[in-house]
């Protein structure tokens, strides 16, 4: 042969599908984008600063550590994603040093101290949030109302309260005031549920919510009640990125279509949580079985953000579909327990982190059955 | 036509890339001036060289004799003299002796008419000894000596013979062309194997990207009033693996570590069927095979009937040479084939294709950390946990790797194909198997 070329010689396969890890990370960031923008729109420019500072801190921490490690991974998207998620998990008016410390803790300690991307056993963003929650409890529970509710009557009275926190505090107050369990039961029973409680306290509701629910009632004859639509679209106090269940669901749908997340964890998580809430959630207001307010609890707080974007983190969740179902169900159960019986109003972050710890155990007991292993017969034996 | 079948779990759908060569009729390649014939062209013990330097050999003469139970004869593809006997490495990494033949003299077979042998009066054992004599091995890629595969013991009841016309590897079209051009010969070959293994049912599995082959074979079967069943299969890699094919067609699972024999079946590739036909009907030893020459860097993608021992470089030259500078040359398909560093490697019995990839299509992949996305688990048709296996091998924990089914890995490469971090999974498993066996 007249030309001798240098040939590449590698072991098979010689083809690749072409998807890359960094692309997955950036797609997740993209899926979070609409909900973040919503947060900035309703909570104002300061929340944008919180987001940018979180992302910048994450990238800087990643840069410094990977420079020391001499293996630059700044652009794999994972640090950006961690920063973005921490920012989205911060109350809109948080002093910026809190997300800075939370992010440094997440990237430097939770991720890199354990070996970097793929080696952390706990979701870094959630760890950062929980770190901040326990370190600066008051700031992390101080909310501000979205601009869409600022001029609504009653807004002044509840400024600085999220629906879940407001209810938890209110119920605690009732139990302290009550002289006897019977009296408490009566007091609770007269309320009738979380949304009624909020309404009785004149918790602000946007005119959009009133208009939309009124339209549903008059045109489609569906009475969903006051406040749910605000909760769903994100006209409510909460963390910057968690309030809009609608836009988070849209992002999750995008990830489903791109086949980046599978249905197993979200379905098991939401299914377990919704069922338990429906079954037992009514007891909180001295109602019977099957009286819990499922819609309220699905869309209040950080459940949507947690379920679709943190409980589906590959690194800290089981590998097999069966394992994912167990993980999701466990997280749903824990979220329910913490929200209804724990001291914290939320529960999503802790529930997921506790389940993260169980992943090696779940993986160990959910190994798939190897092809041909069910009927192991002696070689050469009669078929 | 039957419902389109496939195997239950895993697998991948790489782009077929078959159009470039699938319409090219099989042509005879040039006779090589020099042939290099390795003694290890099959699974099992290498053949024993029975010629010496300076010997004159005739076309089709036995030059390597099977040594041991699992081994195969090797015959001279050309008449000539033994110029040298060398030691060489095959692309698979095997070190072997090889006979270097220089073309000289006249062909006694090629171009001559022979009388067709009527094999119907032969017993299964007699047929098997002809197959052994002619050095036939599985031509799908595994190169397992056919006479060993077909030597069915009386206590092993075989009810089904599966003919593998799947050709699930991208780029390859040799089997497709063979089915289109030699359907009657194939059916006769199938009858011979059916007699050898005493199978009642015959199924021919073909993926639906070859509708012309499916309808042609079905028509020929109907014409001959045979009871063979053509089974259309969904396009999916690695359906051509015999265990996946058995699962797809018969819904039977070969036990881990077992053989198709264990579940009453024998699987044969169409290329092998044709070699059996030639061996039994025309007394022709296996000295040539059909090779698909294709890829982005070759001028004329073709299907050639190449003499064993022809240099890869000459085969590529016959197809017009390189269109653009080649980056990688792969023997076999892109999913399981071996890339070569030396274009003067010979074509051996197991080379189903020569894939010439341009520099643009040849990659050395840099890997990122595993993010446990689980795509390798989803893609594994054997239901293994590739990423977990990888960690055990990397930490030299071979016992744990074996418990996780390391030896059940058939090295199909699906896990590596889908990995977004480009981790060399299957490569590590190949390496791990060698180390685990040593322990």
């Amino acid at each position: 042969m007249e030309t001798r070329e240098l040939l590449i010689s590698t072991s098979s396969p010689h083809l690749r599908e072409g998807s890359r890890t960094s692309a997955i990370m950036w797609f997740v960031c993209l899926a979070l984008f609409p909900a973040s923008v919503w947060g900035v729109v309703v909570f104002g420019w300061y929340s944008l600063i919180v987001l940018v500072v979180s992302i910048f801190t994450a990238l800087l921490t990643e840069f410094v550590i990977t420079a020391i490690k001499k293996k630059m991974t700044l652009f794999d998207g994972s640090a950006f994603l961690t920063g973005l998620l921490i920012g989205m998990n911060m109350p809109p008016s948080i002093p910026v040093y809190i997300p800075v410390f939370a992010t440094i803790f997440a990237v430097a300690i939770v991720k890199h101290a354990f070996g970097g991307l793929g080696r952390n056993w706990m979701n870094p963003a959630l760890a950062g949030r929980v770190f901040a929650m326990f370190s600066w409890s008051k700031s992390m529970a101080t909310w501000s109302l979205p601009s869409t509710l600022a001029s609504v009557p009653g807004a002044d009275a509840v400024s600085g309260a999220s629906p879940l926190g407001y209810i938890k505090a209110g119920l605690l107050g009732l139990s302290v005031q009550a002289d006897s369990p019977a009296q408490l039961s009566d007091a609770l029973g007269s309320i009738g549920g979380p949304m009624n409680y909020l309404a009785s306290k004149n918790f602000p509701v946007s005119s959009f919510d009133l208009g939309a629910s009124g339209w549903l009632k008059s045109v489609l004859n569906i009475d969903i009640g006051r406040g749910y639509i605000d909760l769903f679209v994100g006209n409510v106090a909460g963390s910057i990125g968690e309030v809009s269940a609608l836009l988070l669901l849209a992002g999750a749908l995008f990830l489903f279509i791109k086949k980046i997340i599978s249905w197993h964890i979200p379905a098991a998580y939401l299914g377990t949580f919704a069922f338990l809430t429906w079954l037992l959630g009514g007891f909180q207001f001295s109602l019977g079985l099957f009286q819990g307010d499922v819609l309220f609890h699905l869309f209040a707080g950080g459940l949507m953000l947690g379920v679709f974007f943190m409980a589906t983190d590959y690194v800290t969740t089981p590998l097999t579909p069966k394992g994912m179902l167990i993980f999701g169900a466990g997280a749903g159960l824990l979220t329910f327990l913490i929200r209804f019986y724990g001291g914290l109003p939320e529960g999503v972050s802790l529930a997921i982190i506790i389940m993260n710890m169980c992943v090696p155990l779940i993986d160990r007991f959910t190994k798939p059955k190897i092809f041909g292993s069910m009927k192991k017969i002696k070689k050469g034996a009669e078929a | 036509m039957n419902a389109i079948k496939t195997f239950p779990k895993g697998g991948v759908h790489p782009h077929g890339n078959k159009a470039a060569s699938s319409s090219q009729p099989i042509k005879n390649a040039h006779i090589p001036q020099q042939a290099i014939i390795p003694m290890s062209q099959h699974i099992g013990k290498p053949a024993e060289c029975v010629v010496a330097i300076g010997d004159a050999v005739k076309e089709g003469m036995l030059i390597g004799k099977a040594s041991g139970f699992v081994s195969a004869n090797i015959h001279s593809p050309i008449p000539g003299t033994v110029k040298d006997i060398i030691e060489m490495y095959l692309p698979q990494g095997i070190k072997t002796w090889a006979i270097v033949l220089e073309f000289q003299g006249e062909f006694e077979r090629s171009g001559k008419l022979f009388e067709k042998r009527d094999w119907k009066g032969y017993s299964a054992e007699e047929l098997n000894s002809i197959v052994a004599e002619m050095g036939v091995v599985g031509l799908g890629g595994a190169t397992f000596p056919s006479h060993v595969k077909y030597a069915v013991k009386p206590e092993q009841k075989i009810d089904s013979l599966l003919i593998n016309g799947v050709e699930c590897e991208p780029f390859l079209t040799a089997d497709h062309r063979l089915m289109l051009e030699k359907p009657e010969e194939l059916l006769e070959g199938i009858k011979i194997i059916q007699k050898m293994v005493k199978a009642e049912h015959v199924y021919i599995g073909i993926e639906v990207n070859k509708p012309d082959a499916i309808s042609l074979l079905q028509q020929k079967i109907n014409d001959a009033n045979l009871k063979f069943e053509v089974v259309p299969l969904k396009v999916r890699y690695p359906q051509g693996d015999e265990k996946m094919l058995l699962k797809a067609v018969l819904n039977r699972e070969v036990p881990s570590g077992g053989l198709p024999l264990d579940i009453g079946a024998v699987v044969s590739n169409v290329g092998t069927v044709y070699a059996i036909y030639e061996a039994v009907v025309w007394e022709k030893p296996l000295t040539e095979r059909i090779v698909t020459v294709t890829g982005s860097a070759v001028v004329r993608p073709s299907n050639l009937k190449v003499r064993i021992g022809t240099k890869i470089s000459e085969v590529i030259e016959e197809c017009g040479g390189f269109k653009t500078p080649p980056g990688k040359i792969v023997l076999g398909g892109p999913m399981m084939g071996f890339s070569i560093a030396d274009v003067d490697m010979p074509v051996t019995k197991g080379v189903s294709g020569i894939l010439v990839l341009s520099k643009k299509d040849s990659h050395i992949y840099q890997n990122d950390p595993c993010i446990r996305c689980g795509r390798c688990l989803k893609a594994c048709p054997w239901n293994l946990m590739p990423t977990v296996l990888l960690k055990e091998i990397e930490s030299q924990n071979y016992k744990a790797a074996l418990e996780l089914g390391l030896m059940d890995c058939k090295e199909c490469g699906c896990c590596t194909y889908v990995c977004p971090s480009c981790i060399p999974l299957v490569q590590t498993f190949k390496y791990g198997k060698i180390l685990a066996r040593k322990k």
Side-chain angles (χ1 to χ4, degrees), chain A residues 1 8-14 16-17 19-21 118 314-315 317 359 363 369 371-372 374-375 380 382-383, chain B residues 155 253-256 262 313 317 327-328 334-335 337 339 365 368 370-372 375 382-383 416-417 420-421 430:
Chain A
M1 192 149 278
I8 297 173
S9 186
T10 58
S11 185
S12 63
H14 306 285
R16 294 294 188 280
E17 194 177 57
S19 62
R20 291 308 307 253
T21 300
Y314 294 142
V315 179
T317 55
V359 166
D363 269 349
K369 199 168 269 170
F371 184 91
M374 62 252 251
K375 30 188 176 175
E382 211 174 288
Chain B
E155 69 269 21
E253 220 162 282
V254 178
S256 162
D262 297 333
S313 54
E317 206 138 296
K328 208 185 238 186
M335 292 300 287
S339 66
Y365 296 94
D368 297 327
C370 171
I371 55 164
R372 289 168 50 91
R375 290 180 189 193
W382 314 100
N383 230 0
T416 314
Y417 175 77
S421 287
K430 291 177 195 172

Side-chain angles (χ1 to χ4, degrees), chain B residues 35-84:
Chain B
I36 304 162
I37 300 136
M39 289 294 103
S40 187
Q41 301 191 29
H42 46 262
I43 285 184
K45 283 188 89 175
E48 216 171 90
C49 179
V50 293
V51 291
I53 295 175
D55 283 4
V57 296
K58 290 178 189 164
E59 185 196 10
M61 198 176 101
L62 185 74
I63 54 173
K65 196 172 177 325
S67 66
F69 179 59
V70 181
S71 186
N73 284 341
I74 291 170
H75 302 79
S76 167
I78 49 171
T81 44
V82 179
K83 197 185 145 207
D84 204 356

